[in-house]
Amino acid sequence: MPGSDNSKAPIPTALVGFDWQADLELITTAAREAGRVALSFFGQSPEVWWKNEGQSPVSAADYAANLSLETVLRRARPSYGWLSEETDDDPSRLDCDTLFVIDPIDGTRAFIAGKNTWCVSVAVVHKGRPVAGVLVAPALDEEFAAVLDGQASRNGAAIRVSLAPSDGPLKIACAQDMIAGFQPAIRSRIERVEHVPSLAYRLALVADGRIDATLVKRNSHDWDLAAADLILSCAGGSLTDLAGEPLVYNRPDVTHSVLLAATNQVLPALLQSLTPIARS
């Protein structure tokens, strides 16, 4: 529920007996190696192609990092499904209770431009819910991680969301045109954060208390969100749709509508403040 602290929620009975900590250790090792692979291309003008009718760039670094992850993870967990931005979607993933959800480089545009705000995003999703997640941002020397019912961390140290005052300024990362989607009482409190190209890293900034919220435009994907969603939840925040509902992963359609991520303290007020403009 919006406004509640899910970080201490009991593990559902269906999840008892699974060693998600072992999976976290596995994906962390794999993500670090993929980060090293990607970093070897960073600033070296890697070859770039365009996909989705020329809307999205993909570089040689994306493919190399994806191959690194796939080689390690599919060998270690052959029964797990696979969903990656840089692998053709295999509908058989829908038959898997557990799968890896991968973005080998989240923030490819930043990567290509030589900006350091990109990361490797790896999650384990079980029955629609992230249960282990890691973000490795090698150009920033940062690593975020969480496991179900655990504490989110940055570089091994526990992190928590900010304690934003109920009536004070709110640091919100969103596109300039989305600010108009908030009612005036909230809009006047917003301190807009400069664009953060990686959506996963932006969510991690909320988890780390550096910003209070982010409003996400429609058409984000499972691979942008799954790892960061868990990290945010374990840090005392939530990522929801505009009805306040948590996200379900590994559906036939892996895209999402407009989303809001925030500390649990301010999420209800932000959701109530959103106008039809923001919801369209």
Side-chain angles (χ1 to χ4, degrees), residues 41-214:
F41 289 83
F42 188 53
Q44 304 300 313
S45 300
E47 189 170 2
V48 176
W49 301 268
W50 291 86
K51 56 185 182 177
N52 301 329
E53 299 181 349
Q55 298 300 308
S56 301
V58 59
S59 74
D62 294 81
Y63 289 136
N66 190 66
L67 179 60
S68 174
L69 290 164
E70 191 166 10
T71 300
V72 173
L73 296 177
R74 299 190 93 165
R75 181 180 299 157
R77 300 287 190 272
S79 66
Y80 285 17
W82 182 265
L83 176 63
S84 169
E85 181 175 12
E86 309 308 346
T87 305
D88 290 340
D89 192 14
D90 182 351
S92 67
R93 66 177 170 80
L94 298 171
D95 299 322
C96 298
D97 282 346
T98 309
L99 76 160
F100 296 111
V101 179
I102 307 290
D103 194 341
I105 298 180
D106 188 74
T108 297
R109 290 179 186 273
F111 183 96
I112 294 168
K115 299 178 180 179
N116 57 10
T117 46
W118 55 273
C119 63
V120 178
S121 174
V122 184
V124 176
V125 167
H126 181 74
K127 294 187 176 180
R129 179 179 184 181
V131 292
V134 63
L135 304 175
V136 174
L140 293 167
D141 196 25
E142 291 184 324
E143 180 178 296
F144 299 86
V147 67
L148 183 68
D149 203 44
Q151 175 63 58
S153 67
R154 172 182 172 271
N155 293 352
I159 57 173
R160 295 290 294 176
V161 295
S162 69
L163 297 176
S166 59
D167 57 354
L170 293 170
K171 294 181 180 179
I172 299 181
C174 66
Q176 182 66 50
D177 61 350
M178 298 186 85
I179 293 179
F182 290 97
Q183 293 175 359
I186 290 289
R187 197 185 315 153
S188 64
R189 296 168 55 193
I190 292 176
E191 295 181 356
R192 180 175 172 268
V193 176
E194 185 178 353
H195 177 60
V196 179
S198 165
L199 175 51
Y201 186 71
R202 198 189 323 160
L203 294 171
L205 294 180
V206 182
D208 199 24
R210 284 183 261 178
I211 62 177
D212 302 311
T214 183

